[in-house]
Structures are given as structure tokens and as C-alpha cells.
Amino acid sequence: MQPIVCGLLLALLPIAAQAQLSASFTSENFAQNPPGTSFGVKAGKLRSRHFQPDTSFPTEHFFDDVIIKSLDVMPPYVAKRYDVLIHEIMADPSPSAGLPEAEYIELRNVSGHEIDLGGWLLKGRSIHAVLPAYKLLQDSAVVISSSSNASMFQPSLSAGRSFSLLNEGELLTLYDNKGQVIHAIDYHAEWYGGGIKAQGGWSLEMKDVKWPCAGGENFAAGGSPGRKNMVEVNIPAPALPGLSRISVIDSQHLRLHYTAGLDSVSASHIGIAEAPLFSTLSVRLPETMLPGKIYNINLHGLQDCTGREMPATAASYALPQEVAAGDLVLSELLFDPPQGAQDFVELYNRSTKAIDLNGLYLAQRDEPGVLKPPSPLLRAPYLLMPGEYIAFTEDAAALCRHYTCLGRVEPVPALPSMPQDVGTIVLLKADGLVLDECSYHKNMHAGILHDTKGVSLERLSMEQPAQQPGNWHSAAAAAGYATPGYRNSQQAPEMQGEEWFSVAPPVFSPDNDGVDDLAFISWNLPAAGFTVNITVYDAEGRIARHLARNLLAGNTGRIGWDGQKEGGMAALPGIYIIFTRAFDTGGKVKSWKQAVVLKRR
């Protein structure tokens, strides 16, 4: 007979016998000890002592080659969050680049312990795979694929017949057998970074397992199912999560949206970090918000998903109010982007309201003046506070590779078509109310620029109409030729005093460096109904430029001179006279002459 381990023996013996067994014995030894005998060891030999047998336990037992060992009382290791990672994703296997033409997900155990995956759930948009019992050894990987494709990989587990991944990206979540989130990845096709590898046949591989919440910066195109990732490398510590936006759930609840996952325990003193990405924080407010009132929230003591301390931050919020025409305006347009980037449209909240961007649209108006089908900006609540900017583009990552993105840049599935020469962009509500509209032309760029590809047009004054002549200018070279999502590099100065007309600055240099690139002629008229003519003369009294001819001016406004003469020629450096004449319907006429100095390098 084969030896019987003590676990079985102890299960068969009465409690009294279990307490005294302490050695190995054979069937010969057992034959010398009748039922009802306990066994022990002294000086290496068996001895026996009779005891009153337990009548509930059979009195005749036969054992052969019994081995008594200590029991393993260590409980199985319980996996924690980020112990097993979604380590590789193959969403678009065709055309093959040398790998099997099959979609798969690779899991890697980084815990340092053996983990049983039995009963775990891998969930995606078209995946609901309950994993079979499988011992995933420490620092090892296993490939999850459909039942028809699992045999193509080693080691592998079948996810059943329904296993499909979206090429453009989706949210994947791994749960343990108790329903706790272990890891989640919201992957996107942009993580490939463009190029041939984004066309299919390559997987997305994690570079560094130390940063499970780093998102796209921790993934690159590769392909090594079940083996060490070909892109594995130690990456620099990613930026700490930042508060990207706030949305209002109701008058007593906010949702704080972060750029990466938080540690849910450290976040619990503020709110609830929401699964599965833990990058949103649901907060209950101490008081009910009142319409029109702006509140502040201070955030401290938070940690990222790896336990790094996050700096204290403050943010403002308010109940969103109904948006009206002129509350939200177009503030920057990029319609001829550099190679590898996409167009963008920037908005600015010039009102005193908190505005929810959900339900707003952008559209192109064609030459006959007909609006083409609009494109939605967002399909979820998104709060834009007074004085804030936001830019929208089809590829935020690509845009921010070309420009310094210091503000909010949000990806959208599609923007209206923006021709490179001339076009019209309209911002409107779902009910068709036009909030703002701008017709642009490439000739609106600064005359000093010989090539305007990759240069945005920035609105100089948010207070003046978008269509007012001279209210747009090329973004400054010093700002990288675009400022998506934050304060424009070119802005008109506010008029000082109560003069009807003023010119500022007194000296300007139209070199597009973002400093005094234009001379602004501003007006503050005592009433509406004035018509204005503005002409620039050189020091010899010759007309250099007509800035306004019979312009029906509002009470306030401004026009910028970029140092160009009539016909687009650059004016020579020197002193110029700005001659302004205003008259109303009653025949009242007033005139001004003001000097300005044009400097060139």
C-alpha cells in the first residue's frame, strides 16, 4: 500500500487518538495493538496504552505505511488590487505582423505569490469571461482568448465563444472571484502613436508594471503573448493625477474627474473613488448649492493608485445655468494643422455663469449659408466656469505632441470640416440657438508670416463680436503658434479712462512674438449710432492703411493694426499717425489724431 498522509489519518481517528499520534508505524506494529489503543513513540519504538474507545467511531481500522506530517495551515494568498495586470491587448490582429490572427488579452501576475484565477471575471464591451481554475505563478503570464483561438497561445485560457475587442478602444476590467476590481484599462487606438503599427497586427503592451494606472504613456505597440513584453522598460515616474474637470450630479453632489486613478482609501475622507478606474471621485456637499453662487472646494490628503502623495488643490464649482447667446464664444481656431495633428476649436466662457457643455454642438455653414449637420461636443455633464477656456480636437494626444497644452483639451469623435482657406464655424445649442459664429480666412493671419500652416487664429477681444474686422490674429511664435485650451497669446488691452478713442501701445513691433504685435485703436463712445473712419498716415502724410471705412460702431470696440500697408506690404519702421473721425445721425462730428511708433528688428 502507498503511504497515507496524516491529514487523512487524523480525519479518521477519534479526537483522543489524534492528540497522541506522534510517529510513523507499520501494519505489523498495528497488529500488536488491538482496537481502542493509542499510539506513541518513546526512544524510537512504538508503545501502546489502552483507552476507552469512542463508541461513535468504528473499532476496527486497518492502516499501512502511515506517515505523520505537520499540516499546512497557511491560508491561500488573497490577491490585492494591481496584483494581476492587464498586460497586453490585441484588438486588431489583421493583417498579421507575425502573430496569430486572433484577438487576445494577456494577464500578468506581479504579486510575488501564486494566484488562483478560478472564478475571476474579465469584462469588456463584448467580453464576459468567467475564468476557470488556473494557478498563475508569480511573475508569469497567461493569454485569454476565445475558445476557438485559445490553442494558438501557450499558456492560455478560454474566454468562451464570445470574445471581441474594439479596434478604437474600450474599457476592460478584471475582477476577482469576490467581485473586487483588480485592474482596469481604458485603452485607445491613439496609444499606438500613429504609424504603420496602428494599422493592425500589433498589440498594445505595458512597458512598466510599476505604474498600472499610467494609461497611454505606459503602453506601446508590440506583440509577445505569454512571454516577456518586447517593449518592457523602466519608464520615468508619470505625472501625478490632476483634477481635469468637475461635473454636477445634483445640488448636493459633485463628481471630480482626475487624469489618472486614485487610491480609494486615501480618497475616502473626501468622497467615493468610483470603480473600475478610480479616476472619478463622487462627493457629497455639506450644503445645498444655490443658483448663481460660486463655491470652492479644497482637496488634500489624496494619493495616486501607487500610493504617491498628491499636492493639495482647490477648485470652484456652481450649479450650471442656462447658456445664452454670447455667454460662450469661439476664441481660437486651427484650420490648417501641421502634419500629424488635427484641427481644433477653442471656446471661452465670457459670462458670469457656470455652463454645462453637454448638449452643445459645432457646425459648418456652407457658402449659401446653410448649416451642415452639427457635431456634438460632449455627451456627459462637463462644467465650464467663468473665465475658463477649453479646446476640442479629434486627437488630443497628437495635438499636444505639437503644441504645449497648458489647459483643457478634450477629444471628440468628430469636428465639422474646416477648410484650409476659408470657412465658417458655428457654435449652437440642441434647439438651434446660435451662441457664436465666426467666418475665417487665411488672409486674417499676420502678414509677416510667409507660411501659416500649423498657426492658429486667436480672438483678440472676447467682448467684441467675432466678425468684427481685426478681431483675430495669428498666435504668437513665442507661444508655439497655438494655445489650445488656455489664455490666448494675442489679446487686446482694455481701454483706460474716458477718452472716446485711444491707441495702445504707443510703440509696437509686429514680429509675432506675442509682445506688442499690434497697435490697437479702441473706442468708448457716449452713445450708439456712430459711424467711424480710421486711417493710418506715415510721417510724410501719405495714406498707409485704411483700417475702417464707414464702420457702424457700437458703443465700445477696437481695431488692431498689424503694421501692414494697403495691399499687404510691410510698412517701414517709423512714426505713424492714426486719424479717426466719428459722426452720428444728427451730424455731430469728432476727430482725433494720435501717434504710434512702429519698430522692426
Side-chain angles (χ1 to χ4, degrees), residues 180-452:
Q180 301 299 311
V181 174
I182 299 298
H183 191 214
I185 290 288
D186 190 8
Y187 74 92
H188 300 276
E190 291 83 2
W191 290 8
Y192 284 98
I196 189 65
K197 293 183 179 180
Q199 304 305 312
W202 296 83
S203 69
L204 285 171
E205 292 189 325
M206 183 178 284
K207 300 175 187 177
D208 192 339
V209 298
K210 295 193 302 295
W211 310 110
C213 307
E217 66 181 291
N218 197 21
F219 277 81
S224 51
R227 306 185 304 276
K228 176 181 177 179
N229 280 356
M230 61 190 300
V231 303
E232 184 176 313
V233 66
N234 291 324
I235 67 170
L240 288 166
L243 180 63
S244 61
R245 65 184 178 96
I246 295 177
S247 57
V248 175
I249 302 172
D250 56 42
S251 61
Q252 276 201 304
H253 296 86
L254 298 178
R255 182 167 283 116
L256 310 179
H257 301 255
Y258 283 85
T259 56
L262 305 176
D263 169 59
S264 58
V265 175
S266 69
S268 61
H269 73 284
I270 296 175
I272 299 174
E274 298 174 324
L277 294 173
F278 303 100
S279 58
T280 56
L281 190 58
S282 176
V283 177
R284 180 178 175 85
L285 300 173
E287 59 179 316
T288 301
M289 287 185 284
L290 300 176
K293 183 177 180 180
I294 294 179
Y295 301 83
N296 294 301
I297 185 171
N298 295 310
L299 305 164
H300 58 86
L302 294 173
Q303 299 176 1
D304 77 343
C305 77
T306 62
R308 294 184 297 167
E309 295 289 335
M310 294 165 53
T313 57
S316 60
Y317 62 91
L319 277 176
Q321 296 178 267
E322 189 71 21
V323 60
D327 286 343
L328 198 62
V329 297
L330 300 162
S331 58
E332 188 172 358
L333 305 173
L334 178 68
F335 48 87
D336 189 8
Q339 186 175 2
Q342 301 291 326
D343 301 338
F344 77 80
V345 175
E346 182 187 81
L347 307 180
Y348 173 74
N349 183 355
R350 61 177 292 273
S351 74
T352 59
K353 306 174 182 177
I355 295 174
D356 190 348
L357 301 178
N358 184 24
L360 300 184
Y361 294 79
L362 287 171
Q364 179 192 11
R365 194 184 295 279
D366 61 19
E367 290 185 7
V370 178
L371 278 177
K372 292 190 174 182
S375 302
L377 290 180
L378 297 163
R379 297 189 182 276
Y382 195 118
L383 200 65
L384 193 69
M385 297 297 290
E388 291 185 338
Y389 296 82
I390 185 170
F392 295 95
T393 182
E394 294 177 12
D395 190 343
L399 186 72
C400 294
R401 284 195 293 268
H402 286 271
Y403 303 102
T404 302
C405 293
L406 299 179
R408 296 181 178 183
V409 178
E410 286 293 325
V412 291
L415 282 179
S417 175
M418 298 176 67
Q420 296 178 2
D421 294 331
V422 59
T424 299
I425 290 295
V426 182
L427 174 66
L428 67 160
K429 294 174 59 177
D431 60 7
L433 174 67
V434 173
L435 301 178
D436 198 19
E437 182 170 346
C438 176
S439 294
Y440 64 84
H441 194 287
K442 65 178 181 179
N443 290 339
M444 293 164 66
H445 277 293
I448 193 174
L449 298 175
H450 301 293
D451 183 8
T452 58

Side-chain angles (χ1 to χ4, degrees), residues 531-567:
T531 298
V532 172
N533 289 280
I534 304 175
T535 307
V536 180
Y537 293 87
D538 64 16
E540 303 297 325
R542 297 169 297 197
I543 293 176
R545 180 80 174 270
H546 290 287
L547 293 178
R549 288 178 172 175
N550 294 325
L551 173 67
L552 183 60
N555 291 67
T556 61
R558 60 175 55 84
I559 285 180
W561 181 40
D562 60 2
Q564 301 296 302
K565 298 169 63 177
E566 292 293 327

Side-chain angles (χ1 to χ4, degrees), residues 29-82:
N29 299 130
F30 184 79
Q32 299 171 10
N33 295 273
T37 302
S38 66
F39 303 93
V41 174
K42 186 175 183 180
K45 295 182 180 181
L46 285 172
R47 60 182 176 80
S48 65
R49 174 173 62 83
H50 289 281
F51 63 92
Q52 184 64 35
D54 182 352
T55 57
S56 66
F57 187 77
T59 57
E60 295 187 7
H61 314 286
F62 299 93
F63 302 95
D64 192 3
D65 294 335
V66 177
I67 300 173
I68 300 177
K69 297 180 179 178
S70 61
L71 287 174
D72 183 5
V73 294
M74 290 294 292
Y77 177 74
V78 178
K80 302 187 300 296
R81 191 169 296 157
Y82 312 122

Side-chain angles (χ1 to χ4, degrees), residues 91-114:
D92 187 9
S94 300
S96 174
L99 294 172
E101 289 196 50
E103 297 177 353
Y104 65 83
I105 295 171
E106 178 191 86
L107 305 180
R108 178 165 289 275
N109 180 356
V110 298
S111 70
H113 301 270
E114 179 183 278

